Amino acid sequence: MNPAMPRISWVRGLQSLHRASSATSRRTAAAAAATGSLAAARSISTTPAQSSTKNTEWVRSKLWKDGEAPGAADPYTQRPDDVPEDSAVTRLPREALDAASTTDPSDRRPLAVRRSRLPFPAGRNEAATPEEVAATDPAYEPATSLEDLAEMGTLSEWWEQPGHWSELDEFAAFASAEKVTDKAAIEVYYRRALVEVLALQETGALGAWAAQKWPEGSREDLDAALDVEIVAQDGAASAVLKGDVAAVAARLQQTPEAAAATTTTMAEGATARPERISGEEAAEMIKAWDPSWKGIAVNDQMKFALRKRLYQLTGHLIPDAKLGAATTVGHLLVLTAKQPKAKRLAEILQKTEELQQLANVKLHDRRVSSIDKEVAVGRWKLIEEELAKRDLPITGLANLSRNRERERLMGKV
């Protein structure tokens, strides 16, 4: 047997793999050489560069026919005329650049924390030694007992300390905190909102004040708006106001400081919510109005203003999907005065008059326990006294285990 012959069968496979890899490397080298020659051919090309510039100018002239096309002809190589040569190109907005130029680079706190007027807790650091404190404060005397040490509040109590939180930092919601659920009261506030929107529309200020926040006003502002009469015209396609329209519009265009000065205040001086109208009073007001004002047509601008004003006065927000389908004031009123769905079955049953009129039916909002039954018949006080005499738990199992019998069977007792 020839000793040079391989004794292992898979050695031949390795030899074929070596030949295949050598062929692949030769093909890769040939491709690289071809690419290099092509790049060299491109580098020594005699095609003038002015032809590409002319093509770019021709395309720019076709795309921009009114005057000279703005910007650089080649945005990849040329800088715009309004940017200095020595300035660095950046995509940050001007506000971020101004903030970065006036901020200490060593301060790594978030921008909102740095601009806030709230005094945030200081970062953690090592306490100074008594010698270091005595060097800066000659009147310093070290504590000799635990009672002499000053009590420092924890971090969780930081915002409860005086001076760390003020009334200016309290969240002021746009919508009413308490939702108006009475249908008659919602209709009264809706009529007020319609008068205010039409008043701004007649004075030509609705376009500028539609997206701004209107002062909620006082009870006097509510009465002044309701005193204006709404007259539908052209088959309820439009409406005209009769009354002091200019005064209503002027009340809505007040500055926040002037509106706060005219708002009713409490005895302590803090601004209070305007007086809410009751359901009985609202029902009496509705009887004196002509119902034709509910058929007045509303456009998109009026719907936006009415929805925003009702959300501020009543706390009800009409969804966008339903707002687009509404075309009259009555449609919006139905969407706003819709009662919210009950969260529990007991709430639905308690509103059912047929069940309340039955003498042998009583509704409860929770499960009736055995203790509730004993309290109803007057025996619970006696049971409680007897359990206390015998040192037995009144409710629950006290210190006794729930699985006492199981522990006894398993030999644990």
Side-chain angles (χ1 to χ4, degrees), residues 195-196 199-200 203 205 209 244-254:
V195 170
E196 293 172 344
L200 291 177
T203 56
W209 283 84
D244 197 354
V245 180
V248 175
R251 291 173 183 268
L252 297 176
Q253 302 178 35
Q254 292 180 350

Side-chain angles (χ1 to χ4, degrees), residues 11-161:
V11 175
R12 296 182 180 179
L14 294 178
Q15 291 178 356
S16 61
L17 179 62
H18 176 69
R19 288 194 297 269
S21 62
S22 301
T24 304
S25 61
R26 288 194 297 270
R27 288 195 298 268
T28 305
T35 305
S37 61
L38 181 59
R42 289 179 179 177
S43 62
I44 62 176
S45 176
T46 57
T47 303
Q50 297 178 356
S51 60
S52 61
T53 305
K54 292 181 179 180
N55 294 336
T56 304
E57 294 178 355
W58 180 81
V59 172
R60 286 164 55 85
S61 63
K62 294 298 182 181
L63 295 176
W64 194 274
K65 297 183 179 180
D66 297 338
E68 186 179 357
D74 189 357
Y76 299 99
T77 58
Q78 299 181 8
R79 189 182 300 273
D81 300 335
D82 55 346
V83 178
E85 293 292 337
D86 55 347
S87 63
V89 179
T90 178
R91 295 181 180 273
L92 294 176
R94 186 171 299 276
E95 293 79 4
L97 296 176
D98 297 340
S101 60
T102 59
T103 305
D104 186 7
S106 61
D107 193 355
R108 297 182 178 274
R109 296 178 302 168
L111 182 61
V113 175
R114 283 177 283 173
R115 292 184 175 181
S116 177
R117 58 176 177 266
L118 296 175
F120 285 87
R124 295 183 178 180
N125 52 10
E126 297 181 358
T129 60
E131 291 77 12
E132 295 175 352
V133 178
T136 57
D137 188 8
Y140 169 74
E141 295 182 2
T144 58
S145 62
L146 186 62
E147 289 75 12
D148 297 340
L149 293 177
E151 294 184 1
M152 303 296 294
T154 61
L155 191 61
S156 60
E157 301 175 356
W158 175 266
W159 302 114
E160 282 72 18
Q161 298 178 9

Side-chain angles (χ1 to χ4, degrees), residues 60-363:
R60 286 164 55 85
S61 63
K62 294 298 182 181
L63 295 176
W64 194 274
K65 297 183 179 180
D66 297 338
E68 186 179 357
D74 189 357
Y76 299 99
T77 58
Q78 299 181 8
R79 189 182 300 273
D81 300 335
D82 55 346
V83 178
E85 293 292 337
D86 55 347
S87 63
V89 179
T90 178
R91 295 181 180 273
L92 294 176
R94 186 171 299 276
E95 293 79 4
L97 296 176
D98 297 340
S101 60
T102 59
T103 305
D104 186 7
S106 61
D107 193 355
R108 297 182 178 274
R109 296 178 302 168
L111 182 61
V113 175
R114 283 177 283 173
R115 292 184 175 181
S116 177
R117 58 176 177 266
L118 296 175
F120 285 87
R124 295 183 178 180
N125 52 10
E126 297 181 358
T129 60
E131 291 77 12
E132 295 175 352
V133 178
T136 57
D137 188 8
Y140 169 74
E141 295 182 2
T144 58
S145 62
L146 186 62
E147 289 75 12
D148 297 340
L149 293 177
E151 294 184 1
M152 303 296 294
T154 61
L155 191 61
S156 60
E157 301 175 356
W158 175 266
W159 302 114
E160 282 72 18
Q161 298 178 9
H164 293 174
W165 194 266
S166 63
E167 295 181 357
L168 298 177
D169 303 307
E170 296 289 342
F171 173 72
F174 175 79
S176 175
E178 299 179 0
K179 284 189 176 181
V180 180
T181 58
D182 188 77
K183 293 184 178 181
I186 292 176
E187 186 172 345
V188 169
Y189 287 119
Y190 224 113
R191 185 180 177 90
R192 173 191 177 180
L194 180 61
V195 170
E196 293 172 344
V197 170
L198 294 176
L200 291 177
Q201 191 175 22
E202 289 188 6
T203 56
L206 182 59
W209 283 84
Q212 299 187 24
K213 183 178 180 180
W214 301 351
E216 192 170 357
S218 59
R219 180 58 188 267
E220 290 76 11
D221 298 332
L222 174 63
D223 296 337
L226 296 178
D227 290 340
V228 178
E229 183 181 359
I230 303 176
V231 180
Q233 293 183 346
D234 300 334
S238 61
V240 177
L241 299 180
K242 293 184 178 181
D244 197 354
V245 180
V248 175
R251 291 173 183 268
L252 297 176
Q253 302 178 35
Q254 292 180 350
T255 59
E257 293 78 7
T262 56
T263 306
T264 56
T265 56
M266 295 184 298
E268 292 79 4
T271 303
R273 283 284 184 181
E275 179 185 355
R276 291 293 182 184
I277 188 171
S278 61
E280 295 77 9
E281 185 180 1
E284 294 296 331
M285 292 181 178
I286 294 174
K287 294 179 181 179
W289 297 338
D290 186 4
S292 61
W293 69 279
K294 299 180 183 179
I296 297 175
V298 291
N299 52 24
D300 293 340
Q301 189 178 36
M302 293 178 62
K303 285 193 292 185
F304 174 79
L306 289 173
R307 176 203 191 193
K308 178 176 68 70
R309 186 58 166 169
L310 261 294
Y311 184 50
Q312 181 183 12
L313 296 177
T314 64
H316 292 274
L317 182 64
I318 303 176
D320 295 338
K322 297 180 180 180
L323 183 66
T327 57
T328 63
V329 178
H331 295 165
L332 298 176
L333 182 59
V334 171
L335 295 175
T336 307
K338 186 177 181 181
Q339 296 294 329
K341 294 183 179 179
K343 298 181 180 180
R344 302 176 60 187
L345 178 60
E347 298 178 3
I348 301 177
L349 296 178
Q350 288 175 356
K351 296 179 181 179
T352 306
E353 298 181 358
E354 291 80 2
L355 294 178
Q356 294 180 359
Q357 294 176 358
L358 297 177
N360 58 343
V361 175
K362 188 175 183 181
L363 300 176

Side-chain angles (χ1 to χ4, degrees), residues 371 373-385:
I371 298 179
K373 297 178 182 179
E374 300 295 341
V375 171
V377 297
R379 286 197 300 256
W380 177 246
K381 290 184 178 181
L382 300 177
I383 296 174
E384 189 175 4
E385 292 177 0

